[in-house]
């Protein structure tokens, strides 16, 4: 593969392992951008969202709580909203990119292509260990059937939240309903 060298934002706080994940998400999303044939500007939006989405995942809890005091009262969900705050402070004005970063862990019904592609790539990047072959097949289908793969990925991700007995956030329910009603 190779070819995509993502530049992380100056405010990123990531471990080497996290950097590996972010790079794989970038590789996958760049492959889709090329196969779908989106413009360089659109590809740039997708890659900006990738570079920022987990940029604060390894940041201290205190910083995350300061930047994102209320997001869903769950520490593990603060890194997306916190990254969106720093992205905006550092000049990112693209609403679709900011929403992709902010909601990447939970889903968002009003996403444009950036949020949707990030949600897919974050889950389907090949470093994730579970069901690797099935995930690879899903990743390979994205270009011909984004809506179908998105529904399947959301079904798996949200199904796991339910299986673990966790409540669903309102944003996640609205996201799922928007997909289920798509057709
Ligand atoms: Fe994340
Ligand atoms: Fe991620």
């Amino acid at each position: 593969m190779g070819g995509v060298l993502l530049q992380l934002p100056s405010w990123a706080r990531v471990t080497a392992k996290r950097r590996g994940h972010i790079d794989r998400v970038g590789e996958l999303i760049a492959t889709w951008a090329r196969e779908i044939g989106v413009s360089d500007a659109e590809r740039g939006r997708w890659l900006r969202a990738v570079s920022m989405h987990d940029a604060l995942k390894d940041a201290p809890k205190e910083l995350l709580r300061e930047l994102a005091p209320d997001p869903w009262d769950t520490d593990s969900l603060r890194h997306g909203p916190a990254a969106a705050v720093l992205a905006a402070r550092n000049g990112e004005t693209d609403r679709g990119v900011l929403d992709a970063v902010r909601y990447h862990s939970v889903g968002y019904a009003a996403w444009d292509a950036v949020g949707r592609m990030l949600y897919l790539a974050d889950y389907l990047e090949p470093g994730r260990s579970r069901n690797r072959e099935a995930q690879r097949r899903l990743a390979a289908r994205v270009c011909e059937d984004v809506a179908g793969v998105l529904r399947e990925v959301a079904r798996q991700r949200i199904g796991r939240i339910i299986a673990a007995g966790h409540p669903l956030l309102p944003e996640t329910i609205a996201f799922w309903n928007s997909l289920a009603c798509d057709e």
Side-chain angles (χ1 to χ4, degrees):
M1 305 293 280
V4 184
L5 194 58
L6 272 184
Q7 172 116 40
L8 296 191
S10 59
W11 41 267
R13 309 268 195 105
V14 294
T15 60
K17 184 169 169 238
R18 189 82 53 206
R19 173 83 215 218
H21 160 70
I22 295 169
D23 284 343
R24 288 190 300 275
V25 176
E27 291 280 350
L28 186 54
I29 221 167
T31 304
W32 294 337
R34 190 176 58 241
E35 285 175 16
I36 295 170
V38 300
S39 67
D40 284 353
E42 180 67 3
R43 175 178 179 276
R45 298 176 73 226
W46 296 9
L47 289 172
R48 278 209 317 285
V50 171
S51 74
M52 295 190 286
H53 86 286
D54 278 345
L56 292 180
K57 186 123 182 210
D58 305 310
K61 201 185 286 181
E62 297 68 36
L63 175 64
L64 295 173
R65 286 181 177 170
E66 185 190 315
L67 290 169
D70 40 41
W72 310 296
D73 276 329
T74 308
D75 279 331
S76 63
L77 297 179
R78 289 184 209 278
H79 67 283
V85 167
L86 284 193
R89 261 186 216 169
N90 285 274
E92 179 60 62
T93 57
D94 186 313
R95 179 69 189 270
V97 171
L98 291 171
D99 282 344
V101 172
R102 186 184 319 275
Y103 296 109
H104 79 267
S105 306
V106 301
Y108 187 52
W111 266 338
D112 67 11
V114 189
R116 291 165 173 244
M117 299 314 277
L118 176 60
Y119 185 83
L120 288 174
D122 199 16
Y123 183 72
L124 293 176
E125 65 96 343
R128 303 240 187 234
S129 52
R130 64 184 105 72
N131 302 330
R132 194 169 288 187
E133 183 48 31
Q135 304 301 74
R136 197 196 56 74
R137 279 200 303 272
L138 273 177
R141 254 182 57 210
V142 163
C143 298
E144 65 198 48
D145 184 15
V146 180
V149 177
L150 185 61
R151 199 157 38 237
E152 176 57 23
V153 165
R155 196 182 65 75
Q156 290 184 19
R157 290 183 61 163
I158 296 166
R160 224 183 293 132
I161 299 170
I162 294 170
H166 298 312
L168 293 178
L169 298 167
E171 287 85 353
T172 306
I173 295 170
F175 174 57
W176 173 251
N177 287 347
S178 77
L179 301 177
C181 298
D182 253 8
E183 282 182 5

